[in-house]
Amino acid sequence: MTIEVDLPVPRRALAIGAHADDVEFGCGATLAKWADAGAHLTMCICTDGSKGTWEHDADLGALIASREDEQRDAAAILGVADVVFLRYVDGELESGLGPRAAVSRVIREHCPDVVLGHDPWQPYRIHQDHRHAGLLAAEGIVAARDPHFFPELGVAPHRPRTLLCFEPGRVTHVEDVEGYVDRKIDALLAHRSQWRSTMAIDDRPEDQRAAFARMLHDEARAAGLRAGLRAGEAFARLDDL
Ligand SMILES: [Zn+2]
């Protein structure tokens, strides 16, 4: 199967993740590269992150607030201009009409040429929020582009050009991210409340941070190899939306 390399830098792009930190894992280096090239970038986080801790007695109100602060810091590191929080309850995201209208409103208001989101068709995925967030990106595009979907939103339709699905079940596109992997790592490390649960940084932070960075560089190298690049981020690409 042919693998395409590098879209033209979009004028505007929108990355949709289920939780704070998902977008950085999936396409952080690509966003940093596009931001440096002058793209206007928006992130949309679907859930409130209220299940993102292993501490049984955590103050969930404080956790939600700190996860939003961390997300804004990560966005700033990448050069993302806007962050939209939809605040659905973590672990309970669904891809029904209500959330689809909310995502289609974000697409219509921010007018992206490219939308990036979880691959909802990735096999053997157990986290339902990731599957539903991926479906919301895909189905939100269908609703955003056609005028008879959700006319009550009162926002003009918008048709993005391309959908890039990250964590792809099938790789059809790679972005060259040589020189941008460290920005991705810095943005991920801004999610301090996730160090333990998603980055395995806990009781030996120095060593474990270094191991986490090595893992991200290894992943980028493996993705890049598919397309003869030194570092890449891999996607399933859908055009002609
Ligand atoms: Zn997630």
Side-chain angles (χ1 to χ4, degrees), residues 69-140:
D69 288 343
E70 291 166 354
Q71 187 61 64
R72 288 189 194 92
D73 290 346
I77 289 167
L78 296 177
V80 171
D82 301 317
V83 187
V84 178
F85 296 100
L86 297 182
R87 302 192 175 102
Y88 291 104
V89 175
D90 193 349
E92 300 177 16
L93 186 64
E94 292 185 341
S95 44
L97 281 179
R100 193 187 307 160
V103 168
S104 103
R105 173 196 284 281
V106 175
I107 294 170
R108 287 179 178 184
E109 287 179 343
H110 291 267
C111 301
D113 308 310
V114 177
V115 174
L116 307 97
H118 300 267
D119 182 350
W121 304 287
Q122 189 216 70
Y124 311 115
R125 181 196 280 288
I126 63 164
H127 203 311
Q128 71 289 333
D129 284 352
H130 294 168
R131 184 171 58 250
H132 286 296
L135 284 173
L136 287 170
E139 295 168 357

Side-chain angles (χ1 to χ4, degrees), residues 3-241:
I3 292 181
E4 307 279 340
V5 175
D6 281 359
L7 289 173
V9 175
R11 209 172 40 86
R12 305 176 67 87
L14 166 67
I16 300 170
H19 312 103
D21 87 8
D22 286 339
V23 165
E24 288 81 350
F25 272 113
C27 61
T30 298
L31 294 183
K33 179 179 76 166
W34 286 350
D36 283 6
H40 183 281
L41 304 177
T42 303
M43 274 182 193
C44 173
I45 309 303
C46 297
T47 71
D48 62 9
S50 55
K51 295 203 175 50
T53 181
W54 290 351
E55 317 299 330
H56 290 269
D57 52 357
D59 173 343
L60 295 186
L63 177 67
I64 291 168
S66 64
R67 294 204 68 185
E68 292 193 1
D69 288 343
E70 291 166 354
Q71 187 61 64
R72 288 189 194 92
D73 290 346
I77 289 167
L78 296 177
V80 171
D82 301 317
V83 187
V84 178
F85 296 100
L86 297 182
R87 302 192 175 102
Y88 291 104
V89 175
D90 193 349
E92 300 177 16
L93 186 64
E94 292 185 341
S95 44
L97 281 179
R100 193 187 307 160
V103 168
S104 103
R105 173 196 284 281
V106 175
I107 294 170
R108 287 179 178 184
E109 287 179 343
H110 291 267
C111 301
D113 308 310
V114 177
V115 174
L116 307 97
H118 300 267
D119 182 350
W121 304 287
Q122 189 216 70
Y124 311 115
R125 181 196 280 288
I126 63 164
H127 203 311
Q128 71 289 333
D129 284 352
H130 294 168
R131 184 171 58 250
H132 286 296
L135 284 173
L136 287 170
E139 295 168 357
I141 289 171
V142 175
R145 73 183 186 198
D146 292 346
H148 294 291
F149 283 83
F150 307 125
E152 68 279 10
L153 292 176
V155 193
H158 173 76
R159 181 190 292 264
R161 205 174 50 229
T162 301
L163 171 62
L164 292 181
C165 300
F166 49 76
E167 306 147 7
R170 192 178 66 170
V171 177
T172 58
H173 180 90
V174 173
E175 283 291 321
D176 182 351
V177 295
E178 187 176 1
Y180 287 96
V181 179
D182 285 324
R183 278 260 288 290
K184 170 177 183 157
I185 293 165
D186 287 347
L188 281 163
L189 291 173
H191 294 277
R192 182 66 185 83
S193 67
Q194 301 305 296
W195 280 17
R196 183 169 172 235
S197 55
T198 68
M199 303 177 204
I201 303 169
D202 190 13
D203 54 334
R204 292 179 295 109
E206 291 292 310
D207 293 350
Q208 290 162 337
R209 247 197 333 258
F212 176 69
R214 270 198 309 280
M215 183 188 78
L216 269 285
H217 277 285
D218 286 347
E219 281 180 3
R221 205 171 299 121
L225 272 176
R226 291 169 169 276
L229 304 168
R230 284 182 209 273
E233 281 178 332
F235 302 94
R237 170 174 163 183
L238 286 80
D239 290 304
D240 302 322
L241 309 174

